[in-house]
């Protein structure tokens, strides 16, 4: 594997050298995660990294299941684990609570719905040292526990499902717009600011955009390995991508631009389809264009679903044919909802709170 990294476009920060083994703070935001929290804590505690250089903050949003009790039991056995309360419940606010308490030079985000390699922290530190990035992370590698998740994992490996997003590709290596979770040098929050505390979704991409706009860099490494579990039903998937669309729209309103057109593609597709449908209702001459566009989209979905089903399981074909339109429609409609809500609430660019420099 190539262990060198070319300079990031636009990177203009000069950072002090990072120690070979810096103190690391792991922050785990959670809410009602009794099924997953012990597994992720075990992943954190068993990292192949000097134990005395690790601290772990679980920031809970007021769970109503046994999450807090499970974390408390682990914390009683290992003082490196600290349970914090997040009154705002959302993940961005949880991350800020953990970051403010962290003493580490590197702050590592771990979500509860994921499994992490034993060298996850060490590989993240190595990538930060090697590249000079402010944030380093790996690809989002999906894992399944049921048939729906298996089909969804296949869809998430497809450019039709994720629009060619670099952080979805485990073979990619280099400077990118965003990564899965991420390990941040402390300076990232001093220079670019903390997470947007009101961002319900897309908080990672929005923070990474601020890092890049401030002259920092975000690096995707094949050596940083983690797996996550996607939604397990159509209803949950639709809600998730609707929320993603709203989050993307909020980012656009707050930052005034995207780093690339890719996040707006589902919105453009849904808008174009709606305009064509409206025009065909008003002008019959437009109906052939609507029919042609609909057939082209259906052919694309069917062809890609067949390709993925042959590679994975033929049983997934019907699900794949339904997953792609659901994801695209939910994201596009959510984007519209986010734009309308932002216009109503007067959302716009705002200064991010910065972590005080030591």
């Amino acid at each position: 594997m190539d262990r060198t990294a070319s300079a990031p476009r636009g990177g203009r920060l000069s950072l002090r050298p990072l120690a070979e083994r810096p103190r690391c703070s792991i922050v785990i935001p959670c809410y009602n995660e009794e099924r997953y929290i012990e597994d992720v804590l075990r992943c954190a505690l068993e990292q192949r990294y000097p134990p005395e250089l690790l601290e772990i903050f679980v920031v809970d949003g007021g769970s109503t299941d046994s999450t807090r009790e499970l974390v408390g039991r682990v914390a009683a056995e290992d003082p490196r684990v600290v349970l914090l309360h997040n009154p705002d419940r959302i993940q961005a606010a949880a991350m800020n609570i953990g970051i403010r308490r962290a003493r580490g030079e590197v702050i590592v985000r771990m979500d509860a719905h994921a499994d992490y390699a034993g060298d996850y922290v060490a590989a993240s530190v190595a990538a930060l040292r090697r590249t000079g990035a402010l944030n380093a992370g790996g690809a989002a590698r999906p894992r399944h526990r049921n048939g729906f998740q298996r089909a969804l994992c296949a869809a998430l490996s497809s450019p039709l499902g994720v629009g060619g997003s670099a952080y979805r590709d485990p073979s990619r290596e280099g400077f990118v717009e965003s990564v899965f979770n991420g390990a941040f040098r402390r300076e990232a929050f001093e220079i670019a600011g903390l997470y947007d505390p009101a961002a319900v979704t897309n908080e990672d991409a929005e923070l990474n955009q601020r890092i890049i706009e401030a002259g920092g860099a975000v690096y995707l490494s094949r050596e940083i390995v983690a797996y996550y579990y996607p939604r397990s039903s159509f209803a949950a998937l639709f809600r998730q991508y609707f929320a993603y669309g709203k989050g993307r729209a909020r980012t656009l309103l707050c930052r005034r631009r995207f780093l690339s057109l890719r996040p707006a593609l589902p919105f453009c597709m849904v808008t174009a389809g709606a305009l064509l449908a409206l025009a065909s209702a008003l002008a019959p001459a437009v109906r052939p264009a609507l029919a042609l566009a609909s057939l082209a989209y259906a052919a694309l979905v069917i062809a890609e679903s067949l390709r993925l089903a042959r590679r994975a399981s033929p049983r997934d074909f019907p699900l794949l044919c339904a997953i792609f339109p659901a994801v695209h429609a939910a994201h596009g409609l959510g984007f519209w909802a986010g734009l309308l809500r932002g216009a109503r609430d007067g959302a716009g660019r705002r200064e991010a709170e910065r972590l005080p420099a030591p």
Side-chain angles (χ1 to χ4, degrees):
M1 178 180 296
D2 181 10
R3 292 181 174 272
T4 63
S6 59
R9 289 184 301 169
R12 56 185 183 272
L13 293 179
S14 178
L15 301 172
R16 60 179 174 77
L18 187 63
E20 183 177 357
R21 285 289 183 266
R23 173 180 286 277
C24 293
S25 303
I26 296 173
V27 180
I28 304 171
C30 70
Y31 174 73
N32 283 352
E33 297 289 358
E34 64 182 6
R35 292 179 57 196
Y36 297 94
I37 194 63
E38 285 189 289
D39 288 341
V40 73
L41 276 174
R42 183 169 62 251
C43 286
L45 290 168
E46 294 176 357
Q47 287 293 302
R48 295 193 291 274
Y49 200 80
E52 68 277 9
L53 296 179
L54 277 181
E55 60 181 3
I56 301 162
F57 297 102
V58 180
V59 190
D60 180 76
S63 292
T64 56
D65 61 5
S66 61
T67 297
R68 295 177 64 87
E69 290 75 14
L70 294 170
V71 175
R73 188 172 68 196
V74 176
E77 299 169 357
D78 194 318
R80 292 180 295 165
V81 177
V82 178
L83 177 63
L84 302 175
H85 177 58
N86 170 25
D88 295 319
R89 188 175 294 182
I90 64 175
Q91 291 187 330
M95 286 302 302
N96 288 344
I97 291 169
I99 291 164
R100 292 188 188 100
R101 282 286 301 269
R103 295 175 296 161
E105 297 170 73
V106 174
I107 297 167
V108 182
R109 174 171 176 166
M110 283 188 174
D111 283 351
H113 278 252
D115 295 327
Y116 301 87
D119 66 346
Y120 184 80
V121 171
S124 298
V125 169
L128 290 171
R129 283 171 45 82
R130 186 173 75 248
T131 65
L134 281 178
N135 181 19
R141 296 169 165 90
R143 271 183 173 169
H144 59 83
R145 288 180 172 174
N146 61 35
F148 182 85
Q149 286 180 326
R150 183 183 62 237
L152 181 54
C153 286
L156 293 174
S157 71
S158 166
L160 184 61
V162 297
S165 179
Y167 84 96
R168 293 283 185 177
D169 184 353
S171 68
R172 290 283 292 271
E173 177 96 14
F175 294 99
V176 293
E177 295 177 8
S178 193
V179 292
F180 178 58
N181 288 341
F184 302 83
R185 289 188 57 147
R186 189 176 189 87
E187 293 94 329
F189 304 109
E190 299 168 3
I191 295 166
L194 297 168
Y195 283 84
D196 178 351
V200 178
T201 58
N202 206 51
E203 72 278 5
D204 290 314
E206 192 273 342
L207 172 57
N208 285 318
Q209 182 169 337
R210 278 191 276 120
I211 287 173
I212 292 169
E213 289 175 348
V218 179
Y219 192 81
L220 177 70
S221 172
R222 291 189 292 263
E223 295 186 359
I224 303 173
V225 177
Y227 298 89
Y228 77 101
Y229 296 95
R231 297 300 190 270
S232 57
S233 70
F234 269 112
L237 180 66
F238 193 93
R239 287 194 299 270
Q240 179 187 34
Y241 273 81
F242 187 86
Y244 281 172
K246 289 176 66 177
R248 290 278 172 80
R250 189 176 190 280
T251 296
L252 178 61
L253 292 171
C254 290
R255 306 307 308 160
R256 307 287 175 85
R257 69 184 185 104
F258 286 133
L259 296 176
S260 68
L261 181 61
R262 179 184 52 77
L265 289 177
F267 165 74
C268 295
M269 184 190 70
V270 167
T271 302
L275 290 174
L276 266 178
L278 178 61
S280 67
L282 299 175
V286 181
R287 290 172 187 169
L290 175 63
L292 184 62
S294 300
L295 286 172
Y297 177 74
L300 183 62
V301 167
I302 291 170
E304 183 65 353
S305 298
L306 278 172
R307 184 183 73 86
L308 294 171
R310 287 197 193 102
R311 196 172 65 185
S313 170
R315 293 175 298 170
D316 294 340
F317 175 70
L319 282 172
L320 286 163
C321 287
I323 284 172
F324 286 122
V327 166
H328 297 155
H331 195 287
L333 291 171
F335 203 107
W336 263 115
L339 290 178
L340 294 173
R341 180 174 180 176
R344 183 196 68 191
D345 297 343
R349 196 178 184 95
R350 64 199 68 187
E351 190 68 21
E353 178 191 350
R354 286 177 169 80
L355 193 67

